[in-house]
Amino acid sequence: MNEAAPNIVAGFDVERARRDFPALAQEVNGAPLVYLDNAATTQKPQCVIDALSQYYARDNSNVHRGAHALSDRATVAFEDARKKVQAFINAKSSSEILWTRGTTESINLVASSYARSVLTAGDKVLVSAMEHHSNIVPWQMVAQTCGAEVIAIPVSADGELDMQAYENLLDERVKIVAVGHVSNALGTVNPVEKVISLAHAAGAKVLIDGAQGVPHFAVDVQALDCDFYAFSGHKMYGPTGIGVLYGKADILNAMPPYQGGGEMIKTVSFAGTTYNELPYKFEAGTPNIGGAIGLAAAVDYLSGFDRSAVAAYESDLLAYTHQRAANFEGLQRVGCARQIAGAFSFLLAGAHPSDIGMLLDQQGVAVRTGDHCAQPIMKQFGIPGTARASFALYNTRDDVDRFFAALEKAKTFLM
Ligand code: C6P
């Protein structure tokens, strides 16, 4: 560890946390792994791996269906997981927690069901110019079918939402505002409380894409007063293939179902079908039972920490990264918003981001390169993409030092 590196910051013991993640203790290309691709997906703590393997080893069964002990056990664990997620984001009721495959499916659900039923020709959906494609394309697909428009809220050269332009865009034709809590490409933390209150004053509903928010700080959907909040299990130490859509009960109750099939119905006949109550109305087919149980283990894991201590630790790490970056010749930060979480996007003069990624990987340092599924903001900045180091609670100043040492070495090949 770097000499100045605090092992324990604000009551959070990072070395202890690192021991929970078996994947971190490996060498890649002959060097100890420095995993800085956490915005893509985080590593999993042993308790999540154990929850998954115990479920498949002992309790594997379908839920809400079987008349036997294993099905009862699986159903109890699956519904307990929903309650854990409810408490984790402080939703009013567990029926407001819908299981999905992840953020992408959560947003598609709202677009296909809610947006399709409310949008008419001339209506508008506002998204920010820094959104992930998952929070742009589903709205475009629906807007195309009904003559509505998807409009980008401008973003400054620093990567901040232009709140004045946003206020100017809000009129009675805006039915939906969809904004990321934290940008995966730039790390910008958006002022979502303000975004939500302004949208509500204009009569619009708000979806917050929390894919990069939930992993870094505590989220309270009632305090935010958002109408929908979407996130993925795999970016918050849980399994892939499981995610959450939170929605206010009155809105979800009024929405048509998303997919048809088993579980989402009350009665089926050729004369007509009636639908199940929340949350099952939106959960057609056999769900990802193991995934939900694994996600509950991740919720338990995160909840075992003082979340504000972890957030302070991560923000100290990012500040240290920015400090080192400022003294690194040829490095240009992409995204310099006043409030940043999780991600550090950058370019090296004269080097293509994918070459940076490859040269870092050869030294055991994992980062992501490319447009990060955020082509509109890359286009605005006039760049094809960036290299991105993204952080989780188990990263250290030593990781940051090794990252810059590897970057220094890469530079000798690139420039
Ligand atoms: N961002 C990244 O490396 P899914 O794939 O459904 O779990 O999440 C999609 C998604 C939606 N919104 C934001 C803000 C995201 O960051 C992501 C996923 C990954 O940045 C993969 S592109």
Side-chain angles (χ1 to χ4, degrees):
M1 257 211 152
N2 169 290
E3 245 180 76
N7 238 345
I8 301 177
V9 174
F12 171 63
D13 184 346
V14 66
E15 289 304 329
R16 200 166 155 195
R18 284 181 71 79
R19 292 197 286 276
D20 296 330
F21 293 83
L24 297 178
Q26 63 179 300
E27 293 206 340
V28 169
N29 294 324
L33 171 66
V34 175
Y35 188 78
L36 296 175
D37 194 18
N38 296 287
T41 199
T42 55
Q43 296 303 336
K44 315 306 169 200
Q46 190 61 49
C47 59
V48 168
I49 299 166
D50 289 346
L52 282 169
S53 77
Q54 273 167 32
Y55 166 70
Y56 284 114
R58 285 185 348 153
D59 303 330
N60 174 54
S61 186
N62 215 325
V63 287
H64 307 136
R65 286 167 172 81
H68 55 84
L70 267 60
S71 177
D72 286 348
R73 268 191 246 151
T75 304
V76 167
F78 181 70
E79 291 304 331
D80 278 353
R82 200 188 302 272
K83 287 183 198 130
K84 278 194 175 145
V85 170
Q86 174 205 348
F88 184 63
I89 60 168
N90 194 32
K92 222 181 251 173
S93 155
S94 63
S95 62
E96 296 177 316
I97 304 299
L98 313 185
W99 298 120
T100 63
R101 281 190 296 127
T103 309
T104 304
E105 190 177 43
S106 296
I107 300 173
N108 274 278
L109 191 163
V110 179
S112 299
S113 167
Y114 179 76
R116 201 177 289 279
S117 64
V118 301
L119 292 180
T120 56
D123 282 342
K124 300 175 199 168
V125 178
L126 301 187
V127 301
S128 91
M130 69 181 108
E131 291 312 305
H132 187 281
H133 299 160
S134 296
N135 201 20
I136 301 174
V137 183
W139 308 113
Q140 288 178 325
M141 287 164 62
V142 174
Q144 263 169 14
T145 65
C146 63
E149 248 187 304
V150 178
I151 297 175
I153 307 163
V155 167
S156 73
D158 277 346
E160 293 193 349
L161 258 191
D162 182 338
M163 291 301 282
Q164 187 55 57
Y166 170 55
E167 279 200 66
N168 297 343
L169 282 168
L170 281 169
D171 62 26
E172 72 286 353
R173 295 316 305 255
V174 176
K175 296 286 153 57
I176 298 164
V177 175
V179 166
H181 207 155
V182 176
S183 156
N184 68 314
L186 310 175
T188 307
V189 181
N190 284 313
V192 289
E193 293 86 351
K194 187 90 186 134
V195 168
I196 294 163
S197 62
L198 286 168
H200 284 168
K205 299 284 186 247
V206 186
L207 177 141
I208 301 298
D209 171 351
Q212 305 291 350
V214 162
H216 297 296
F217 40 74
V219 167
D220 179 333
V221 289
Q222 290 189 72
L224 284 176
D225 196 30
C226 52
D227 301 291
F228 301 103
Y229 196 97
F231 60 99
S232 302
H234 70 100
K235 293 184 196 291
M236 50 164 285
Y237 314 103
T240 48
I242 186 77
V244 171
L245 175 67
Y246 157 80
K248 285 180 180 164
D250 56 334
I251 305 176
L252 292 176
N253 270 318
M255 281 161 53
Y258 169 50
Q259 293 178 329
E263 194 67 16
M264 53 75 70
I265 52 86
K266 221 175 232 157
T267 60
V268 177
S269 80
F270 289 105
T273 289
T274 57
Y275 303 126
N276 208 340
E277 59 207 24
L278 292 179
Y280 312 112
K281 181 171 103 177
F282 293 101
E283 294 180 355
T286 299
N288 183 352
I289 304 158
I293 291 166
L295 177 53
V299 164
D300 279 344
Y301 181 73
L302 267 177
S303 305
F305 295 106
D306 171 347
R307 298 264 349 247
S308 55
V310 176
Y313 172 78
E314 288 188 16
S315 123
D316 176 80
L317 200 58
L318 209 49
Y320 179 64
T321 306
H322 293 154
Q323 188 191 318
R324 295 265 348 234
N327 300 314
F328 195 96
E329 216 185 304
L331 187 150
Q332 181 202 336
R333 270 178 69 186
V334 179
C336 300
R338 281 161 292 179
Q339 256 203 296
I340 289 204
F344 166 65
S345 244
F346 67 98
L347 292 168
L348 270 190
H352 194 280
S354 57
D355 293 334
I356 301 173
M358 191 192 63
L359 288 163
L360 291 182
D361 180 51
Q362 283 173 7
Q363 301 173 75
V365 178
V367 298
R368 186 177 169 189
T369 62
D371 61 31
H372 312 297
C373 300
Q375 286 180 11
I377 196 66
M378 296 298 149
K379 194 166 176 211
Q380 176 182 324
F381 290 165
I383 53 178
T386 71
R388 182 191 69 186
S390 55
F391 298 93
L393 58 77
Y394 43 66
N395 289 121
T396 62
R397 286 190 178 209
D398 190 43
D399 287 341
V400 176
D401 289 339
R402 289 197 205 170
F403 160 71
F404 278 105
L407 205 55
E408 197 68 66
K409 199 163 167 198
K411 217 163 88 168
T412 59
F413 293 97
L414 292 166
M415 296 165 87

